[in-house]
């Protein structure tokens, strides 16, 4: 059985969501998600230290590093959006 996918135009849900990724609200949502994730990383670090589990501590530290890198990438993208704004000066 073969399924066919019909394209109903360029204003589909998927294309709207792709546009949100590189918009100011999309970047701000990403930063909010990163801030929320930071609570989980802190919880994991505290739990690993309390249990004395080095491997879990390393895993949580790598997660914190990935979170910091992702946040910095979002900040850079937000600054680039600001540079494109003619009215911003």
């Amino acid at each position: 059985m073969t399924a066919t996918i019909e394209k109903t135009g360029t204003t589909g849900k998927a294309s709207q969501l792709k546009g949100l990724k590189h918009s100011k609200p999309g970047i701000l949502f990403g930063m909010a998600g990163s801030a929320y994730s930071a609570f989980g990383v802190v919880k994991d670090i505290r739990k690993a230290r309390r249990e004395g589990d080095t491997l879990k501590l390393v895993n949580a530290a790598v997660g914190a590093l990935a979170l910091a890198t992702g946040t910095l990438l979002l900040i850079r993208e937000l600054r680039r959006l600001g540079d494109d704004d003619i009215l911003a000066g």
Side-chain angles (χ1 to χ4, degrees):
M1 183 187 278
T2 307
T4 59
I5 300 173
E6 295 181 21
K7 187 174 181 180
T8 59
T10 59
T11 59
K13 294 271 185 200
S15 63
Q16 289 175 354
L17 290 176
K18 286 180 184 177
L20 180 67
K21 181 179 177 183
H22 296 291
S23 68
K24 194 170 188 175
I27 293 171
L28 293 176
F29 277 126
M31 291 177 73
S34 294
Y36 181 74
S37 298
F39 290 112
V41 170
V42 169
K43 180 181 153 189
D44 290 344
I45 289 173
R46 286 182 180 167
K47 183 178 178 184
R49 291 181 77 188
R50 186 174 56 246
E51 293 175 359
D53 191 341
T54 306
L55 188 57
K56 285 184 180 180
L57 186 61
V58 169
N59 185 39
V62 170
L65 185 61
L67 181 64
T69 304
T71 303
L72 291 173
L73 288 171
L74 287 169
I75 291 170
R76 182 177 70 181
E77 187 70 25
L78 188 61
R79 286 183 180 166
R80 284 185 181 170
L81 283 178
D83 291 342
D84 293 341
D85 191 6
I86 297 171
L87 299 176

